[in-house]
Amino acid sequence: MNPIRSCIGCRKTGSPTSLMRMVLVDGKVIFDQQQIAPGRGAWVHRKCLELAIDRKAFKWAFKLTEMPEISNEVTELLTEMDAKDMKLK
Ligand SMILES: [Zn+2]
């Protein structure tokens, strides 16, 4: 059994190990690190997270009428990535 998920950012498919699972809790998008939280999950590559937020991909991923709030935890993931990019330069 090799489940295939598709990234809400680039729409490409990948295995769950290459994607991050996001879930909606109390109207906020949170990072489901263990990939076991109940309910609908949205899968996204780490590098596609910013794109997914920009494109309001979480809105349709969770079948909402408005873009949901992004938790601080997820926003921090973006900040961490930016910090890494700066180190590489
Ligand atoms: Zn992607």
Side-chain angles (χ1 to χ4, degrees):
M1 184 69 181
N2 185 21
I4 297 295
R5 308 292 181 178
S6 59
C7 170
I8 62 165
C10 65
R11 307 282 194 103
K12 286 185 183 140
T13 54
S15 66
T17 49
S18 66
L19 295 157
M20 300 193 307
R21 186 173 192 257
M22 300 294 174
V23 289
L24 195 65
V25 176
D26 295 332
K28 269 190 189 180
V29 177
I30 64 157
F31 177 30
D32 176 18
Q33 200 155 10
Q34 307 298 321
Q35 306 192 339
I36 52 165
R40 172 178 287 274
W43 298 80
V44 63
H45 293 113
R46 202 176 171 93
K47 64 178 169 60
C48 296
L49 184 58
E50 192 165 9
L51 181 74
I53 293 170
D54 282 352
R55 288 188 179 166
K56 302 187 182 351
F58 288 105
K59 189 178 103 168
W60 58 259
F62 292 116
K63 301 190 187 296
L64 303 169
T65 52
E66 297 287 330
M67 177 67 178
E69 200 179 327
I70 306 296
S71 71
N72 291 338
E73 183 194 29
V74 175
T75 311
E76 275 165 21
L77 286 173
L78 289 175
T79 316
E80 275 173 33
M81 280 186 277
D82 287 347
K84 269 184 204 155
D85 284 348
M86 271 187 266
K87 267 183 215 162
L88 289 171
K89 273 170 200 161

